[in-house]
Amino acid sequence: MAETPQAGTGEAGAGKQPRSVRVVLLALMIAMMLAMLDNMIIGTAMPTIVGELGGLEHLSWVVTAYTLATAASTPLWGKLGDMYGRKGAFMTSIVIFLVGSALSGMAQDMGQLIGFRAVQGLGAGGLMVGVMAIIGDLIPPRERGKYQGMMAGVMALAMIGGPLVGGTITDHWGWRWSFYINLPLGAIALVAVSAVLHLPKKRSQARIDYLGAALLTIGITAIVLVTTWGGTEYAWTSARIMELIGIGVAALVGFVFWQTRAAEPIVPLHIFRSRNFTLMSVIGFIVGFVMFGATLFLPLYQQSVQGASATNSGLLLLPMLGAMLVTSMVAGRVTTNTGRYKIFPVLGGALMTVGLFLLSLMDTDTTRFTSGLYMAVVGLGMGCLMQITMLVAQNSVEMKDMGVASSSTTLFRTLGSSFGVAIMGALFNHRVQDVMAERAGALGSKVTESSAQLDAASLAKLPEAAREAYQHAVSSGTHGAFLLGAAVAVLALVAAVFVKEVPLKGAGPQAAEAPGDGEDGATAKTPVTEAV
């Protein structure tokens, strides 16, 4: 006998309680904004923080502790939501994030700040996963396309506004408000979710897979540390990096082995039997690899080579982010209206590859207009991929696995960003140092011996010849980094070609009646029998 979804949930959610769903979606977007905005705001406040707290030698750990905690906790939050209910898990993650924010704002030394940032990161790991999984519960897949533009807009706003907001808050209120600003926003999201969100109660009798959680945490931590420290804190061939690689590989192999035996695995391996889910994980990894590499090196190129101001560095990415926003909205609408989506991963992979190749052609004579056009092409590609990957991944699993599907896809994108920044950064640094040595001799080597990325003040102090050499070096470094990105993006295009277009569930008669695909689609039923 068919089971009837409660208002505001599952297939009927968007139609029966549109006002409640809109309120919940607003709260979810606020939570998503908190997760994405935090590091970008803090980055701007870092010099002031170090000036007051000291501990310059531990500066990188303020970001690394947050990133590690976020990446390691992401799969756990997804599984907890599947086992015990998404509403409770999501609200808990918000509370932990807010506690970490408040404690970080009260930190009295760098050690405390690093520890409190780790607490904040633990909560942040559940924010993005919770948003995606709850949207997966509330909105049927075909209707979900309508909200892609909203999520892409939040992402673009965070990337553009983060540095600006961080600078303004630090200058006028002090760096501690970079953390305190999360409290009122988080409280609004918490109250709205508590009052309006209605999802089924769950209570799993199975125990949490503690061994699997420990193995996965160790593996992810080792990977993130390798990509963070490799080529900066330690040489890639150093004993410390080799040890971390060994620990990471051993932990992840052990994790996969244990998941086949655990009663309630953290990441049930059967979800990877779906070809579409596996392909979306690959594409998500590549999107993370390319996107964060691009957002790191594009402002650097424009500031060092094109003479742009560092103050408005977020605005330099506007062509890419604007194109991403528009394309994501169009892709969402087309997907909702037609139920078809395969064209977007294919088109996105192609545009991203072409755009990155065009970016690799930039040199010291490239105008801002030209580089803006190249960035727009990359943005068009990303807009076709950013939310479609999550949509297809969620459509490829059963409702009971919605949380782990969302967390796994998010984790792959996070790991992709870590690898992208590390590998593209290593290539960039190596090329900059080589060109500086070639063009400026001993002076060039001395200038870049501590870091291949100079700030505006350091660049202004260089002699004219050394400054020109550095501009050529940065141009050469970005050429190599973006060429590598284009080569990696080809893999996304190849993966997209093999995506199987499975009808989106819960969208009109045809989709609603479509049976589960067996390999790539989960059953179309969305049973909800109990509301909070």
Side-chain angles (χ1 to χ4, degrees):
M1 185 172 66
E3 298 180 79
T4 305
Q6 293 289 341
T9 311
E11 296 177 16
K16 288 194 175 183
Q17 275 198 344
R19 185 176 178 183
S20 297
V21 170
R22 284 198 298 269
V23 173
V24 171
L25 284 172
L26 177 61
L28 295 180
M29 292 305 106
I30 292 174
M32 185 176 174
M33 173 75 78
L34 291 175
M36 299 197 64
L37 200 60
D38 194 75
N39 265 339
M40 297 185 177
I41 289 180
I42 301 309
T44 312
M46 278 300 187
T48 307
I49 293 173
V50 172
E52 181 173 330
L53 298 183
L56 178 62
E57 67 275 14
H58 304 304
L59 177 63
S60 63
W61 274 103
V62 176
V63 175
T64 302
Y66 181 90
T67 305
L68 276 175
T70 301
S73 64
T74 292
L76 306 182
W77 285 114
K79 187 62 180 180
L80 288 172
D82 285 342
M83 291 177 66
Y84 301 111
R86 265 179 267 290
K87 180 176 180 178
F90 184 58
M91 291 178 65
T92 302
S93 71
I94 294 176
V95 170
I96 293 175
F97 181 83
L98 296 182
V99 169
S101 298
L103 292 174
S104 295
M106 294 186 286
Q108 299 301 308
D109 57 50
M110 192 61 79
Q112 289 183 9
L113 180 60
I114 291 169
F116 296 149
R117 284 281 285 165
V119 174
Q120 196 182 19
L122 286 175
L127 294 183
M128 286 295 290
V129 173
V131 169
M132 297 301 179
I134 290 172
I135 288 177
D137 274 351
L138 287 176
I139 312 296
R142 186 159 168 178
E143 296 300 317
R144 222 171 287 157
K146 293 178 181 179
Y147 303 96
Q148 283 184 205
M150 186 187 300
M151 289 183 278
V154 168
M155 183 176 297
L157 184 61
M159 290 180 142
I160 295 172
L164 298 176
V165 172
T168 302
I169 290 175
T170 303
D171 289 342
H172 292 88
W173 296 348
W175 67 266
R176 296 182 186 277
W177 277 95
S178 297
F179 297 104
Y180 293 151
I181 194 68
N182 294 330
L183 302 181
L185 293 174
I188 292 171
L190 199 60
V191 169
V193 168
S194 175
V196 183
L197 179 62
H198 301 291
L199 289 175
K201 292 179 180 178
K202 297 180 183 179
R203 184 65 190 178
S204 174
Q205 298 302 313
R207 294 184 60 187
I208 296 173
D209 178 15
Y210 292 107
L211 178 57
L215 289 170
L216 184 60
T217 300
I218 293 170
I220 291 173
T221 300
I223 289 174
V224 174
L225 287 178
V226 166
T227 57
T228 303
W229 285 348
T232 53
E233 298 285 329
Y234 302 95
W236 284 104
T237 55
S238 67
R240 179 60 56 87
I241 296 299
M242 292 298 107
E243 288 169 2
L244 285 171
I245 291 175
I247 292 170
V249 170
L252 292 178
V253 169
F255 171 75
V256 172
F257 175 79
W258 176 249
Q259 293 305 280
T260 63
R261 286 158 173 73
E264 193 67 48
I266 295 293
V267 180
L269 300 183
H270 66 79
I271 61 177
F272 292 98
R273 293 175 191 161
S274 163
R275 182 173 73 189
N276 275 5
F277 182 83
T278 302
L279 291 173
M280 289 303 111
S281 298
V282 172
I283 293 174
F285 180 92
I286 294 169
V287 169
F289 187 105
V290 168
M291 180 176 172
F292 285 89
T295 54
L296 175 65
F297 294 110
L298 279 171
L300 178 62
Y301 168 83
Q302 292 192 302
Q303 291 170 34
S304 302
V305 179
Q306 295 181 329
S309 168
T311 306
N312 298 321
S313 57
L315 297 176
L316 302 176
L317 299 174
L318 192 56
M320 183 177 76
L321 298 173
M324 184 180 77
L325 173 59
V326 171
T327 313
S328 186
M329 293 176 67
V330 172
R333 285 291 176 181
V334 172
T335 300
T336 296
N337 293 335
T338 67
R340 297 191 171 274
Y341 53 80
K342 180 174 179 176
I343 183 63
F344 295 112
V346 174
L347 186 61
L351 286 170
M352 196 163 63
T353 301
V354 171
L356 287 163
F357 177 74
L358 291 174
L359 288 176
S360 75
L361 301 179
M362 296 189 304
D363 55 27
T364 54
D365 296 323
T366 303
T367 65
R368 291 190 194 180
F369 177 77
T370 301
S371 60
L373 288 179
Y374 295 167
M375 280 190 279
V377 176
V378 175
L380 292 173
M382 288 182 178
C384 291
L385 292 169
M386 286 299 296
Q387 305 304 330
I388 286 290
T389 54
M390 183 64 73
L391 172 64
V392 178
Q394 291 179 337
N395 192 57
S396 303
V397 301
E398 298 180 32
M399 285 298 295
K400 67 182 181 66
D401 293 323
M402 185 70 71
V404 292
S406 302
S407 64
S408 298
T409 307
T410 303
L411 177 62
F412 277 108
R413 187 177 297 177
T414 302
L415 293 178
S417 68
S418 294
F419 277 91
V421 170
I423 297 174
M424 292 173 77
L427 185 63
F428 172 85
N429 292 341
H430 180 72
R431 189 60 190 150
V432 167
Q433 289 167 349
D434 283 351
V435 174
M436 284 296 283
E438 290 172 8
R439 287 181 169 267
L443 175 61
S445 298
K446 185 177 180 181
V447 166
T448 57
E449 66 182 355
S450 59
S451 175
Q453 301 178 30
L454 303 182
D455 57 27
S458 301
L459 192 58
K461 294 176 183 177
L462 292 180
E464 183 67 26
R467 191 182 307 118
E468 289 183 5
Y470 184 71
Q471 290 174 340
H472 282 281
V474 169
S475 178
S476 179
T478 52
H479 166 76
F482 288 130
L483 201 57
L484 171 65
V488 172
V490 171
L491 299 177
L493 175 59
V494 172
V497 170
F498 290 97
V499 170
K500 183 178 180 181
E501 193 153 49
V502 178
L504 294 174
K505 294 171 286 185
Q510 183 178 359
E513 294 170 9
D517 180 89
E519 178 192 357
D520 294 304
T523 176
K525 283 197 262 182
T526 310
V528 176
T529 57
E530 188 176 7
V532 175

